[in-house]
Amino acid sequence: MKYIIGNWKMNKTAGEIVEFTRGLKKYKFPKDKDIIFGLAVPYVYLLGMSKLQVRFWIGAQNVSEHSHGAYTGEISAEMLADVGLDFCIVGHSERRTLYHESDAIVNEKLKQLQEYDMLPILCIGETLEEFEAGKTHDVLSRQIREALKGLDLKKEMIVAYEPVWAIGTGKSATAENIKESVSFIKSEIKKVGADYPVLYGGSVNPANASEILHIDCVDGALIGGASLDPDRYVQIASALYSN
Ligand code: PGA
């Protein structure tokens, strides 16, 4: 199975979403069951996405670590499951950095999602400083161990390797870096007794998609900026079925 998942972050208005879906309709997506197309959209548009008849997986970009109660502004895993979403991103580096989400909070969020059988896409990745200091393996290993503590490892999960220095910078990691880190992540996941697909994210664009998506251990891409434009999204997806 391969995954092409867009993460819109805090972008788009309702009108722009209509434009986006209109743009997508020009393309014939292969009915290949081995490729999943998905979009993580802002909360307020989640319900409307199904009305637009985009036959994509639709997911949220975040979830509360609490189950319910007096947490003004938060959205629970139960609510996400209630509106029939397909997945939820957890631990994106922007959440970890800008909103101070620790490994422990990421772990609580994953527990909430598991309770409602919602598929998580767990983001992990090292900062530039950690990369330059040769600490990539230590960081990835800690993030995996802490995130998965106390979880039901038989339930499905997707992991996305997103080196922080490659996100939104236009400078993706090299194929060699990606292969090395994704193989390492897969071996760490196996060590704790789980087996999850691993995507790559960080400046994926139509020019580098083919090289990245053809790395044998990479199960797909998590795409930020380039997923905002239907043509670029489709060009990236097309890289999966071209040589
Ligand atoms: P980017 O973002 O593709 O714009 O680098 C990736 C992400 O944050 O998931």
Side-chain angles (χ1 to χ4, degrees):
M1 187 73 75
K2 296 279 184 184
Y3 303 84
I4 301 291
I5 311 287
N7 173 14
W8 281 354
K9 310 190 180 184
M10 196 173 73
N11 290 294
K12 292 205 183 292
T13 59
E16 287 165 352
I17 294 175
V18 171
E19 280 303 305
F20 181 93
T21 44
R22 214 172 266 151
L24 280 188
K25 281 186 185 140
K26 291 191 295 208
Y27 297 99
K28 275 223 168 356
F29 284 92
K31 290 216 173 64
D32 187 338
K33 286 201 190 65
D34 291 341
I35 307 175
I36 302 253
F37 300 100
L39 289 171
V41 309
Y43 285 139
V44 292
Y45 302 122
L46 285 169
L47 280 174
M49 292 303 289
S50 55
K51 285 196 208 106
L52 292 170
Q53 303 200 326
V54 190
R55 283 187 302 105
F56 274 41
W57 272 13
I58 298 297
Q61 302 170 9
N62 184 32
V63 66
S64 172
E65 66 270 35
H66 303 289
S67 63
H68 65 277
Y71 300 101
T72 301
E74 290 292 277
I75 302 284
S76 70
E78 184 177 22
M79 294 170 187
L80 298 181
D82 196 33
V83 297
L85 294 192
D86 300 294
F87 69 92
C88 178
I89 295 177
V90 175
H92 190 280
S93 72
E94 285 149 19
R95 302 285 327 165
R96 291 181 190 257
T97 312
L98 303 172
Y99 300 96
H100 315 294
E101 281 185 12
S102 61
D103 286 326
I105 293 177
V106 169
N107 175 252
E108 289 303 320
K109 292 185 175 203
L110 290 170
K111 284 183 182 155
Q112 284 297 318
L113 290 172
Q114 282 209 334
E115 190 164 338
Y116 294 95
D117 290 323
M118 171 78 52
L119 174 70
I121 299 185
L122 166 66
C123 298
I124 57 175
E126 80 286 2
T127 63
L128 183 59
E129 206 181 12
E130 291 161 342
F131 175 71
E132 287 177 345
K135 291 189 180 149
T136 301
H137 283 193
D138 292 347
V139 173
L140 295 175
S141 169
R142 187 204 74 229
Q143 287 177 331
I144 293 167
R145 217 177 35 246
E146 297 295 316
L148 302 186
K149 249 185 203 163
L151 294 191
D152 179 349
L153 300 175
K154 285 194 273 325
K155 289 199 174 180
E156 285 184 30
M157 186 179 307
I158 296 174
V159 172
Y161 170 54
E162 299 207 306
V164 180
W165 46 273
I167 296 177
T169 58
K171 191 173 167 281
S172 86
T174 62
E176 203 181 313
N177 280 152
I178 297 172
K179 189 174 174 151
E180 207 276 320
S181 293
V182 170
S183 307
F184 176 76
I185 290 167
K186 288 197 166 175
S187 70
E188 289 296 287
I189 294 172
K190 279 227 168 75
K191 264 194 216 161
V192 297
D195 183 13
Y196 305 134
V198 180
L199 318 184
Y200 168 76
S203 295
V204 176
N205 60 46
N208 61 22
S210 181
E211 187 183 21
I212 293 170
L213 292 170
H214 285 95
I215 300 171
D216 50 9
C217 55
V218 171
D219 299 301
L222 184 57
I223 312 152
S227 74
L228 293 170
D229 175 68
D231 296 324
R232 298 181 81 206
Y233 180 96
V234 168
Q235 282 161 23
I236 292 169
S238 313
L240 265 183
Y241 25 90
S242 61
N243 294 317

